Amino acid sequence: MTGINYAWSALGGDPSLPARITTVAREGTLQARLPVRQLARACVGVCALAAAELGARRTGTAKVPEVRVDDGAVAAAFTSDRQVLVDGRAPVQFAPLSRFWRTADGWVRTHANYPHHRARLLSALGLPEDAAAEDVAARIAERPAREVEDAVHGAGGLAVALRSPKEWSGHEQAVEVAARPLIERGRLDAAHARVLAPLDAGTSPLLPAAGLRVLDLTQVLAGPVATRTLGLLGADVLRLDAPWLPELPDQHADTGFGKRSATLDLRTGRAAFEELLAAADVVVTGYRPGALDRFGLSPEALAERRPGLVVAQVSAWGAYGPWGGRRGFDSLVQVASGIAEVEGSAERPGALPAQALDHGTGYLLAAGVLRALTEQSYEGGGRFVRLALARTARWLTAELEPGSAAGEPYEGPDAWLAETDSALGRLRYARPPLSFTGGPSDWARPPVPWGSDPARWA
């Protein structure tokens, strides 16, 4: 089974529809030892197909529009966090303390892009707040990798020891991950969902998610990529963040397309949140499992207050197993799952050519939302969709067929980049990779300054 067919089956889609997808293969995109190009192509392909399917449903068209997946567009989109420029300035991807470190018996990778994660890392290592990278290197070099992992996790920080694929496959968390489907889907209730109004088949561009209201409670890449995609397709996406947890500026510039940005303290602004929820169709969450439950934001609690809701969740390790409540990021999942060893050398661990677990999972999450909406249009009922970066990693490392590396020559991402003026400055960015007949070719709105919108629907 090809990657596209496998992912579409995981979404519960009609097995005849992947025949509507045409692929433009380009040699040299997303080069790696693992089949990253096949993963990226499949994730974007099924997302575009899910959008086309919903568009056909809403326009009353019998035939689902044709989908075109171009490896060049996909490669540019999967590296969008590197392509974005703000007034000509290149993005900052990783902070100085987010990197690989040698330990007494191997390697560990840390993530300290956010100030509170940096503070927790230094605290776990017994270092002052103004410690430099050399101080961290010296302290970590004295200790075994697993000991550093445990100490930093215990302090609420992020560090993961390098594991081989074999070591990870025997880990209890990996066993739990392998037992789950790529995309977990299910019903929350049998309530009548709000029926989205029919669309005119002649409307250009065709926006399958027009009229949809999406509450975006996500950070970093996978969740924001999913909601950015829903915004491309016409949804009213409102991202909500805690006032004291600003998104990193470059990540916001990359993933803020097609959405509005507001802040809301859930401890004091519950009435405002409940008003938003009452009119929402979809809630997307991207925090570690259980982190939002104390605010009544579990799928079951949300559906109880807003019957017919679609709740989409993404996490690093999955909402189960001994690591189910851990924080995590793409780079750390690569290290734990053996990807960093596979892509590295005898001298040093490596990495994928893009944060492909984040981007791929983001497109799958958006596809899951779109398919849930299509199913609702026939059957009603609230639904949930859950994905985990670690499960996407298993698909990449143990289940996905490599496929051919041949194709048309790839001459870099420039053909799929664009520029626009925005309130953030002049932006260069990667255009969206989704392409289906009649669909949008770009976002209708650039990103706005973080937290600059009111916490209410447009």
Side-chain angles (χ1 to χ4, degrees), residues 131-212:
E134 311 87 76
D135 304 316
V136 175
R139 187 62 55 89
I140 288 179
E142 302 170 346
R143 306 170 70 174
R146 304 287 176 89
E147 182 180 301
V148 174
E149 176 183 276
D150 290 341
V152 176
H153 167 65
L158 293 127
V160 171
L162 179 70
R163 290 171 172 81
S164 68
K166 184 177 180 181
E167 287 173 324
W168 177 245
S169 67
H171 192 284
E172 188 178 346
Q173 186 63 30
V175 173
E176 291 274 1
V177 167
R180 299 305 201 282
L182 176 64
I183 302 164
E184 295 184 84
R185 307 162 57 249
R187 297 286 291 261
L188 287 171
D189 56 44
H192 292 292
R194 182 169 75 91
V195 178
L196 294 174
L199 298 176
D200 185 343
T203 301
S204 182
L206 173 60
L207 299 174
L212 193 73

Side-chain angles (χ1 to χ4, degrees), residues 417-454:
L417 303 180
E419 291 193 8
T420 187
D421 289 317
S422 77
L424 302 179
R426 183 71 178 172
L427 296 181
R428 187 192 77 175
Y429 63 99
R431 297 202 311 270
L434 269 66
S435 177
F436 57 93
T437 303
S441 60
D442 209 340
W443 288 277
R445 55 188 299 160
V448 298
W450 180 85
S452 62
D453 287 302

Side-chain angles (χ1 to χ4, degrees), residues 85-374:
L85 298 179
V86 182
D87 289 331
R89 180 184 58 79
V92 176
Q93 282 196 288
F94 291 102
L97 301 189
S98 296
R99 47 168 273 197
F100 283 108
W101 310 87
R102 277 197 178 276
T103 67
D105 62 350
W107 293 88
V108 70
R109 183 156 188 167
T110 56
H111 195 288
N113 283 7
Y114 290 94
H116 57 294
H117 291 157
R118 182 183 189 277
R120 292 167 186 172
L121 170 66
L122 295 175
S123 173
L125 297 175
L127 293 170
E129 290 186 6
D130 61 350
E134 311 87 76
D135 304 316
V136 175
R139 187 62 55 89
I140 288 179
E142 302 170 346
R143 306 170 70 174
R146 304 287 176 89
E147 182 180 301
V148 174
E149 176 183 276
D150 290 341
V152 176
H153 167 65
L158 293 127
V160 171
L162 179 70
R163 290 171 172 81
S164 68
K166 184 177 180 181
E167 287 173 324
W168 177 245
S169 67
H171 192 284
E172 188 178 346
Q173 186 63 30
V175 173
E176 291 274 1
V177 167
R180 299 305 201 282
L182 176 64
I183 302 164
E184 295 184 84
R185 307 162 57 249
R187 297 286 291 261
L188 287 171
D189 56 44
H192 292 292
R194 182 169 75 91
V195 178
L196 294 174
L199 298 176
D200 185 343
T203 301
S204 182
L206 173 60
L207 299 174
L212 193 73
R213 287 174 169 171
V214 179
L215 273 180
D216 177 0
L217 308 177
T218 69
Q219 274 198 319
V220 196
L221 279 181
V225 164
T227 51
R228 180 181 71 181
T229 302
L230 296 175
L232 167 73
L233 299 171
D236 178 9
V237 180
L238 178 62
R239 173 162 167 168
L240 290 180
D241 286 287
W244 60 88
L245 282 178
E247 182 60 281
L248 300 173
D250 292 338
Q251 284 183 172
H252 179 69
D254 172 36
T255 62
F257 281 86
K259 60 182 84 170
R260 294 178 297 117
S261 172
T263 60
L264 185 66
D265 186 343
L266 292 176
R267 298 170 304 183
T268 59
R270 290 307 299 273
F273 180 82
E274 294 303 322
E275 185 175 343
L276 290 169
L277 177 63
D281 302 294
V282 178
V283 174
V284 185
T285 68
Y287 292 82
R288 62 189 175 90
L292 298 176
D293 289 4
R294 69 184 186 278
F295 298 112
L297 300 183
S298 69
E300 295 76 17
L302 288 168
E304 185 176 344
R305 305 199 304 282
R306 173 65 173 90
L309 191 69
V310 174
V311 182
Q313 297 176 296
V314 61
S315 64
W317 309 105
Y320 40 75
W323 284 20
R326 289 200 180 200
R327 299 171 177 85
F329 294 94
D330 181 308
S331 58
L332 302 184
V333 176
Q334 289 190 40
V335 173
S337 64
I339 291 174
E341 182 179 279
V342 172
E343 296 294 339
S345 65
E347 292 75 33
R348 186 177 179 82
L352 298 176
Q355 294 193 66
L357 304 181
D358 261 333
H359 285 273
T361 304
Y363 287 110
L364 290 178
L365 191 68
V369 170
L370 296 166
R371 288 246 58 251
L373 294 168
T374 296

